[in-house]
Amino acid sequence: MLLLCNVSRNQYFLVGLLVGFLYSYYMPQDLTEIVTECPEATEREHLLAEDAKYGSEFEPQLNLEQKPMTARKQVKNIVRPRYYYTELGIREKLFVGVMTTQENIDSLATAINRTSAHLVNKIKFFINADNVKANFKLKNIVGFTDTRENLRPFHVLKYIADNYLDDYDYFLLVSDTGYVNARQLRETLSHISISFDVYMGTPHGTTFDEEEPDRPSDAQYCDLHAGIVLSSSVIRKIRANLDWCVRNSVSNQHNLNIGRCVKYSSKIDSCQSSWQGINVTSYKLNSYKIYRDLHMIKHEAAFNRASVIYPITTADDFYLLHAYFSRVHLEQINAAKEQIHQEASAISNGTLSNDILEVRWPLGVPKPNPSESRHDIIPWTHLNLTHSFMYTSEINVRPLSSVDAEDMQNILNKTILEAHRSNPQLEYRGLHSAYRKFDAVRGMDYRMHLSFYDRGRREHVLKSFEVVKPIGLIEIVPSPYVTESTRIAILLPTLEHQVHDAEQFVQHYEKTCMDNQDNTFLMLIFYYRAETPSKGDEDVFLPLKNLALSLTDRHKQDGSRIAWVSIRLPPELTTPFNPNNLLSTSMYGPAPQQLLSFAAADLALRKIGLDSLVMICSAEATFRSDFLNRVRMNTIAGFQVFSPIAFRQYPCGWTKLCKECDGCDVGQSTGYFDRANYDVVAFYSRDYVDARKLLEQQLPIVRSDRDIVNLLNYTQDAIGSPLERIENVAEMFVRASGKIHVLRGIEPNLRLGRAMENFLAEVDPEGEQLQRLRCEEQPDQRDRCVRIASKKQIGDVLVQHDGADGRENEVKK
């Protein structure tokens, strides 16, 4: 049995070996037969082979052979126009070209310019320039050297096409004997589509050609004396066919030459007196004289709706017509205003509420902006005829300024007149109360309660009124062009107790300006007291002088340098340093000492020159380079001076009530904008000298150290008249009443507060002396005192202190 089992197993093995040998023998060696028979399987096998070659996951392979590495077509850079209206194709409405002569420039042409130039977008006067005068008062004149009269219209058309074709929709050609009612013409053209060819005006009438008397010549063409209106598309077609127009201009009749040219270029056969239902009409004065017959012809409808009135032979007639049509225009505006007022009143008295219809009082004045938070609410200020109450959170009562008092009196007078107009029986007895609020969007709002005696009812009554002074039209003040490359001469006045502050300023100046090669120059101004030595080792300003020399030598190759000027103060100003001056917002101390800034400017400008941009700075100030660029942009020679409102930082490192950070943004917890500080001011030297000369009688000029005492005499004479007193350079420019504007604005990149920080860190770290300091300003000038923390921060400290004392008392009990 065992033998039989072994034989069976060997048989299976031999049979399998034989079958495998036969299968391999008959298998074809070329696999293309299999591919042709089953392409899907072959493709799968190929993909599997590729996967095995590059890994289990699919990895894309880029074939860059015979592929262009660069784009065949270069991409052109798109140049954007400078203005939006250029890119959008927005054009002005009307260009007026007046064909005149040299003899009529000072008479008829000047009259047209005065009556129409301010009502159209552009006006030009075209003359023959064979003998051009050089003393024409009219500046918008174009002269042609080609004096052939028949070619003058085509010179005008070529000039318009070359210079103003893409800037205006319509062009009016008229002679100097036609008065243009510009308001009527602009209103008419605004209703005509600019996508069509327009050749409009008044047909010349039936005239005959001398060479061909049997055929009318220019009767079908527009009359130049009555004005010819051409669209920009017609002007463009005329420019393309201008050579043909010049060759065929054989007549001296401008109407005929222009009409033939328009007909050939734009295929418009005749003058269009009406287009799309809109008429451009004119009125011909046959035998009328304006100065004599205006009272008769003003009742004609054709005269009132005419766009051009001709012929006018005297300049006075132009002015009479302009005065008449201006009056008609004003009456139309008043009528439309009254109609709108009646419609709005009818709507407001209806069933719908004003909130839905958005009808506000008074009409045309925007409503106040809603406040986003409680911090944005504009408060009402209570006032009477002389004082305002709760002027700020720190001032309870403050006298009204002369401007506010005058404004308040005018408001009261107009309110009393309005009360008498509505009820003649009322007799004014007095002002009960008044409130006002200023909204930058709406204007000044007043709410007044007046006491009256009603003679009809024989009793006293209280009437309430609401008065609004809306903001008028906003005027954009043109200013000269300035750049950010102007050199700034920085003047740094320094008193003897400010040496350390000035050293820190100079070190900061080196990092900000000298290392960055900013175009600046620093001049130190040392104020020596009468008995202080100014030479040798005893010189109190010796460290500053050594620092200035070393920095100048270090940056000599860059052209940066630091200089100084020494000023000896008179004995009257050589009092010892008063620590109370640290609480004054000005670096000089109380008000009389602030006049030392004039001494610094008067004596330092002699070494700088009259064409320099000067900035008087403070020793406790720090700034960034952006601030200097803003000084360059806001200080304009002969036009404007710049007085920035600096941000005064709290001594956070000493109080521990806020986070100490020099480079942080401004915030209510770190400081406040010191509006009472005028120590930093920028101006041009020539503007300063001119203003000083105007006020020399009131504020003496300091030409030497001995003249400083004259400023003290001025201060004593000005006591008792605060309106006549000048305390700083910015007020001097205001009082000079010249053409110089004074720009006053907040400047976050200008920081103050170094003097208080140094005093608390070096002299009084425990704050014992600070507790004894008192601000020496007047009660109505408390805003000139330095604050070391906000009201909220001080209030939190007081609450915590009271809570700690209460807990301590409970423990003791």
Side-chain angles (χ1 to χ4, degrees), residues 489-744:
I490 302 177
L491 304 183
L492 186 66
T494 307
L495 298 171
E496 292 184 5
H497 66 278
Q498 299 171 343
V499 174
H500 183 56
D501 300 340
E503 288 180 351
Q504 294 180 348
F505 179 90
V506 174
Q507 295 171 358
H508 173 76
Y509 171 79
E510 180 193 11
K511 297 178 182 179
T512 305
C513 300
M514 303 182 76
D515 291 344
N516 297 328
Q517 297 183 9
D518 202 344
N519 194 12
T520 57
F521 163 69
L522 178 61
M523 175 174 285
L524 305 175
I525 301 174
F526 302 139
Y527 289 111
Y528 286 93
R529 290 189 292 181
E531 69 283 355
T532 303
S534 59
K535 296 181 180 180
D537 296 337
E538 297 180 356
D539 187 358
V540 68
F541 294 107
L542 183 61
L544 271 176
K545 294 181 180 179
N546 294 334
L547 180 60
L549 292 175
S550 63
L551 294 181
T552 301
D553 185 67
R554 184 185 308 172
H555 299 274
K556 183 184 302 183
Q557 296 180 353
D558 301 334
S560 300
R561 65 188 185 93
I562 301 176
W564 66 78
V565 173
S566 299
I567 298 177
R568 180 71 65 176
L569 297 177
E572 292 82 355
L573 291 176
T574 56
T575 57
F577 169 66
N578 187 359
N580 291 330
N581 292 349
L582 289 173
L583 296 180
S584 177
T585 185
S586 176
M587 59 167 287
Y588 304 98
Q593 300 181 15
Q594 296 180 15
L595 295 176
L596 291 178
S597 60
F598 292 101
D602 292 346
L603 297 177
L605 291 184
R606 299 176 180 273
K607 301 181 179 295
I608 295 178
L610 295 179
D611 298 326
S612 301
L613 172 58
V614 181
M615 182 182 70
I616 301 179
C617 200
S618 174
E620 62 170 341
T622 57
F623 54 82
R624 302 177 183 176
S625 58
D626 295 342
F627 167 68
L628 296 179
N629 291 333
R630 196 161 292 116
V631 169
R632 294 184 178 99
M633 299 299 293
N634 292 331
T635 309
I636 306 173
F639 183 79
Q640 182 172 280
V641 300
F642 181 45
S643 176
I645 302 177
F647 182 76
R648 183 172 293 277
Q649 296 176 319
Y650 297 137
C652 299
W654 182 82
T655 61
K656 306 300 181 182
L657 299 177
C658 52
K659 182 179 179 181
E660 186 177 8
C661 181
D662 294 335
C664 297
D665 295 336
V666 299
Q668 296 180 357
S669 61
T670 59
Y672 63 98
F673 286 102
D674 196 347
R675 295 177 297 178
N677 184 278
Y678 291 86
D679 292 342
V680 182
V681 60
F683 53 84
Y684 274 85
S685 303
R686 192 178 300 277
D687 299 335
Y688 176 85
V689 172
D690 295 340
R692 290 286 278 132
K693 290 181 179 179
L694 291 175
L695 299 176
E696 184 176 4
Q697 299 297 328
Q698 304 177 21
L699 191 65
I701 298 177
V702 179
R703 295 180 172 86
S704 63
D705 296 350
R706 294 186 297 271
D707 296 336
I708 299 178
V709 70
N710 296 331
L711 296 176
L712 299 179
N713 298 333
Y714 157 76
T715 305
Q716 296 175 0
D717 295 339
I719 292 178
S721 56
L723 297 179
E724 300 295 333
R725 188 184 303 128
I726 301 175
E727 298 181 355
N728 50 67
V729 176
E731 290 183 359
M732 184 264 296
F733 279 103
V734 175
R735 294 292 306 281
S737 300
K739 298 180 180 180
I740 305 297
H741 300 264
V742 179
L743 177 61
R744 181 83 168 150

Side-chain angles (χ1 to χ4, degrees), residues 8 159 175 236 373 417 452 562 589 626 659 703 724:
S8 299
Y159 176 84
S175 64
R236 183 173 287 104
S373 63
L417 291 177
F452 292 93
I562 301 176
D626 295 342
K659 182 179 179 181
R703 295 180 172 86
E724 300 295 333

Side-chain angles (χ1 to χ4, degrees), residues 102 126-133 142-147 152:
Q102 298 183 35
F126 301 96
I127 62 174
N128 289 330
D130 55 341
N131 185 17
V132 177
K133 299 180 182 179
V142 179
F144 303 116
T145 56
D146 189 353
T147 59
R152 188 150 71 114

Side-chain angles (χ1 to χ4, degrees), residues 187-477:
E187 177 66 20
T188 302
L189 295 178
S190 63
H191 298 285
I192 300 178
S193 175
I194 62 174
S195 59
F196 296 94
D197 296 340
V198 175
Y199 171 55
M200 297 186 66
T202 301
H204 184 266
T206 304
T207 58
F208 297 92
D209 194 346
E210 296 178 356
E211 299 178 357
E212 302 181 17
D214 296 334
R215 184 177 62 86
S217 59
D218 59 346
Q220 57 183 344
Y221 301 125
C222 294
D223 189 357
L224 181 64
H225 298 287
I228 301 176
V229 178
L230 299 173
S231 63
S232 58
S233 59
V234 173
I235 298 291
R236 183 173 287 104
K237 294 178 180 179
I238 290 176
R239 182 176 61 177
N241 299 277
L242 199 59
D243 294 337
W244 183 94
C245 298
V246 172
R247 290 194 306 267
N248 291 272
S249 60
V250 295
S251 175
N252 287 331
Q253 299 180 14
H254 297 327
N255 308 327
L256 180 61
N257 293 334
I258 296 175
R260 288 176 176 176
C261 184
V262 172
K263 181 178 180 180
Y264 178 82
S265 302
S266 61
K267 311 306 179 185
I268 300 177
D269 295 334
S270 60
C271 180
Q272 303 165 337
S273 58
S274 177
W275 179 256
Q276 295 179 345
I278 305 300
N279 298 323
V280 176
T281 61
S282 61
Y283 186 86
K284 185 175 182 179
L285 301 171
N286 293 319
S287 58
Y288 291 113
K289 299 295 182 182
I290 296 298
Y291 66 90
R292 183 190 61 192
D293 303 326
L294 181 61
H295 65 284
M296 294 188 302
I297 60 178
K298 70 179 183 180
H299 299 291
E300 299 183 15
F303 174 79
N304 291 318
R305 66 170 178 265
S307 300
V308 178
I309 299 174
Y310 70 101
I312 307 297
T313 56
T314 61
D316 293 338
D317 290 346
F318 280 95
Y319 301 128
L320 287 174
L321 288 173
H322 185 66
Y324 168 74
F325 283 107
S326 298
R327 181 177 179 179
V328 171
H329 179 69
L330 181 61
E331 292 175 353
Q332 293 175 354
I333 291 177
N334 292 334
K337 179 181 176 181
E338 183 65 25
Q339 182 180 359
I340 294 174
H341 187 277
Q342 293 178 359
E343 293 176 355
S345 299
I347 293 175
S348 62
N349 294 331
T351 58
L352 297 178
S353 63
N354 290 342
D355 295 333
I356 299 177
L357 298 175
E358 295 186 355
V359 178
R360 299 289 178 247
W361 181 89
L363 295 176
V365 178
K367 62 180 181 180
N369 284 338
S371 57
E372 298 180 358
S373 63
R374 61 186 179 87
H375 303 288
D376 300 330
I377 297 177
I378 304 176
W380 289 87
T381 303
H382 177 48
L383 69 160
N384 56 21
L385 296 177
T386 57
H387 291 77
S388 62
F389 305 94
M390 297 300 295
Y391 179 76
T392 62
S393 59
E394 302 174 356
I395 301 175
N396 294 332
V397 182
R398 180 169 182 170
L400 293 178
S401 63
S402 59
V403 176
D404 292 337
E406 182 180 359
D407 182 68
M408 182 63 186
Q409 189 63 46
N410 293 335
I411 293 295
L412 179 61
N413 295 337
K414 292 183 180 297
T415 306
I416 295 174
L417 291 177
E418 182 65 24
H420 283 297
R421 186 180 297 110
S422 58
N423 189 353
Q425 300 295 329
L426 295 179
E427 181 180 345
Y428 174 71
R429 291 299 176 89
L431 175 65
H432 182 271
S433 60
Y435 300 87
R436 73 175 180 181
K437 177 183 69 173
F438 177 74
D439 191 330
V441 176
R442 177 180 173 88
M444 186 74 76
D445 286 275
Y446 288 88
R447 290 181 179 176
M448 309 183 71
H449 308 283
L450 306 183
S451 298
F452 292 93
Y453 177 74
D454 193 339
R455 292 191 295 267
R457 294 186 298 176
R458 296 182 180 181
E459 63 180 1
H460 291 274
V461 294
L462 187 65
K463 295 288 185 179
S464 298
F465 299 89
E466 185 172 354
V467 185
V468 179
K469 289 183 61 178
I471 297 178
L473 295 177
I474 299 176
E475 180 182 1
I476 299 177
V477 180

